[in-house]
Amino acid sequence: MDTVNSAEPVGSATYGDNDFVVVANRLPVDRDTTGDSPGWRTSPGGLVTAVAPVMKSKEGAWIGWTGVADTDFEPFTIDGMRLIPVTLSSDEVLRYYEGFSNATLWPLYHDVIVPPEYHRTWWDSYVQVNERFAAKVAEVAAEGATVWIHDYQLQLVPQLVRRMRPDLAIGFFNHIPFPPFELFAQLPWRDDILRGLLGADLIGFQRPADAANFRRAVRGRLNFTTKGSTVTVPSGQLLPAHLVRAEAFPISIDTPYLEELARDPKIIERAQQIREEVGNPKVVMLGVDRMDYTKGIRHRLKAFGELLAEGKLDVEDIVLIQIATPSRERLEQYKIIRHDVELAVGRINGEQAEVGSIAVHYLHHSYPRDEMTAFFLAADVMLVTALRDGMNLVAKEYVACRGRDDGALVLSEFTGAADQLKSAVMVNPHDVGNLKAGILEAVQMDEKSRARRMKQMRRKISTDTVSIWSKKFLAELDAIHTNPEAIIPDRPAALPERSATAPDRPAAKTDARAEHGAGNTSPRDASTAR
Ligand code: ADQ
């Protein structure tokens, strides 16, 4: 492997000195090799926005992969964030990331829209990479530090970290749905994943239904007791005995920042220009998604194509701009979805467009935030038709940009956002008839209804921002870790004291109630967590 050193190394004295550690598959940077000497470009996303203030105030560290395979990088600092790279080999990118994370877990957790693939070599790689991340956490976290682990790629890390460092407060947030038990039960390594997650003190999900699915799986597979959102982990489960909270923390967006962008005269002017560039139709509809089979882009195009073919919408009056960011392009299912979408766009334009009136403007690019905001401002109707989505930030971003309380949102009931943006036009994207009716309703909605509904949705996201989300999560994690009795009524009498002792310290004996779950656990699954 090559070794590349960055410009600002973190001194080894700072190891084990981080009071706040974020752990995610990717670091919030991309390697930039365009200049004379290679460097890093920040890739600001929701997660950075959410955790950056805490990172700065607590001088936190972020552990993750750089996106460059087979290369070791030294820790470095960028925008006041201390970044600690974890190395992945090309083989691990193939098996752990593209394989187990994105071709096993991703489809399984999204209602098996495409069939998940189960391969033991992928699982082995997933375990190995999770162990590497956990070892890094154990190395860099200060005593009693707070560790916040993110997403489905790292579900074993909480357990692995707890076994090495029982002194740490461990939070986990799952950005994607957690599937119903009947689907989750397909996974050959289901019990390992549950135990992996249960190493955390607090597990956050997007929707209450996700948290309920998780708790049901814990009861059904491991026989652990749950009461409300609390799970009692008994001793003898490859984990020290402890209590876990598993509940919903719906993620949001940086609302004030987007509202400000949407008021910027330059961006407003650019929005007007976009409308002109697409022919100044009466109605501009917009779709913004990663190119992913979960996002319902094909269903949306089918509905739109049929509405045009039936003459219910007229190509002279309406345009659909479909932005689809390139995503996971080496995976077969992603090649298929791209092909299908491009075929559908070609067919609609071939059959419905006239010279000078294109029906679908299809853009397979990524855009800077200013330009995305201009698209949101330019759109009269926003289409979010995901077949399953943990939250869907695009829906919230569109609402944040509609400061004039105009515009209509068509929103799939299978998104986490549907729990909050209740005044949207709700649709079932699997039902093309229902989707078409929803699109027509949004297009034809009178101004007064649009204003009323948008105002209600804007109110919701103005009090529900990503910084409030991270504060709530971390405050609850702190409360659970420092004083579980204060908030959890059913705490077993004899939970072990937390202390930073030797790695893999055997758990203390617990009371009969906590032992009960252990005794009833089915050990039938072939694999066990390492
Ligand atoms: P994603 O599946 O990536 O996120 P989403 O929540 O919509 O889905 O977030 C996408 C983000 O990328 C949005 O901020 C959007 O504006 C941006 N984006 C999309 N296309 C873009 C383009 N072409 N150019 C620039 N930016 C673009 C996962 C889960 C979601 C969950 C989030 C956060 O799948 O369900 O909401 O994490 O938890």
Side-chain angles (χ1 to χ4, degrees), residues 175 206 290 295 325 365 367 389-393 397:
H175 289 255
Q206 299 278 25
R290 271 188 313 98
K295 301 290 182 183
T325 327
H365 315 289
Y367 290 98
D389 215 332
M391 178 52 62
N392 195 289
L393 298 179
E397 288 165 358

Side-chain angles (χ1 to χ4, degrees), residues 171-453:
F172 181 93
F173 186 76
N174 197 47
H175 289 255
I176 67 173
F178 195 87
F181 179 53
E182 291 73 13
L183 292 181
F184 181 70
Q186 286 186 9
L187 186 68
W189 306 279
R190 52 203 174 175
D191 295 358
D192 305 271
I193 294 286
L194 294 174
R195 287 197 192 91
L197 289 168
L198 287 168
D201 295 284
L202 176 63
I203 311 174
F205 295 92
Q206 299 278 25
R207 301 173 311 150
D210 298 316
N213 286 345
F214 172 75
R215 294 191 304 260
R216 186 165 164 238
V218 166
R219 286 193 302 273
R221 288 301 315 165
L222 304 180
N223 256 331
F224 292 179
T225 312
T226 68
K227 186 172 178 190
S229 59
T230 306
V231 180
T232 303
V233 177
S235 63
Q237 291 294 318
L238 303 172
L239 273 170
H242 72 128
L243 293 171
V244 184
R245 276 301 259 269
E247 62 191 29
F249 288 84
I251 199 170
S252 198
I253 53 166
D254 190 355
T255 312
Y257 173 64
L258 281 180
E259 285 173 344
E260 196 185 313
L261 282 186
R263 286 192 297 265
D264 182 332
K266 276 203 227 82
I267 295 178
I268 294 171
E269 198 184 316
R270 173 65 192 138
Q272 194 48 44
Q273 202 180 6
I274 290 171
R275 288 189 74 98
E276 279 156 25
E277 284 168 2
V278 296
N280 233 340
K282 284 192 195 139
V283 178
V284 173
M285 292 206 297
L286 177 66
V288 175
D289 313 82
R290 271 188 313 98
M291 180 66 92
D292 195 299
Y293 51 79
T294 58
K295 301 290 182 183
I297 307 172
R298 272 185 314 161
H299 297 64
R300 179 184 316 169
L301 290 169
K302 185 167 178 57
F304 182 54
E306 285 188 15
L307 287 169
L308 290 174
E310 291 161 7
K312 292 183 177 144
L313 294 176
D314 186 335
V315 74
E316 301 220 333
D317 296 336
I318 191 159
V319 148
L320 169 60
I321 303 175
Q322 176 61 56
I323 301 176
T325 327
S327 183
R328 305 174 191 171
E329 294 200 289
R330 298 202 308 185
L331 297 189
E332 186 57 24
Q333 292 294 347
Y334 287 77
K335 290 181 186 156
I336 294 173
I337 184 65
R338 179 174 177 188
H339 173 265
D340 289 354
V341 164
E342 292 180 352
L343 199 70
V345 170
R347 183 168 298 149
I348 295 172
N349 281 337
E351 289 172 2
Q352 307 299 335
E354 303 287 344
V355 174
S357 312
I358 290 178
V360 185
H361 289 258
Y362 164 67
L363 307 162
H364 189 237
H365 315 289
S366 208
Y367 290 98
R369 190 41 63 190
D370 287 12
E371 185 73 355
M372 286 301 301
T373 307
F375 277 110
F376 288 135
L377 279 177
D380 306 290
V381 174
M382 182 80 214
L383 300 181
V384 175
T385 60
L387 304 175
R388 176 57 76 198
D389 215 332
M391 178 52 62
N392 195 289
L393 298 179
V394 169
K396 293 186 172 180
E397 288 165 358
Y398 178 69
V399 170
C401 291
R402 309 306 298 188
R404 289 192 299 202
D405 289 328
D406 55 0
L409 172 65
V410 174
L411 182 59
S412 162
E413 58 193 74
F414 298 103
T415 61
D419 280 2
Q420 288 133 46
L421 303 177
K422 292 191 182 347
S423 304
V425 178
M426 291 296 171
V427 289
N428 170 6
H430 297 278
D431 176 352
V432 183
N434 179 263
L435 188 47
K436 284 159 70 180
I439 293 174
L440 275 186
E441 184 187 338
V443 168
Q444 292 163 356
M445 194 183 293
D446 61 69
E447 262 178 47
K448 223 168 128 194
S449 305
R450 283 187 180 196
R452 180 177 47 79
R453 295 168 79 149

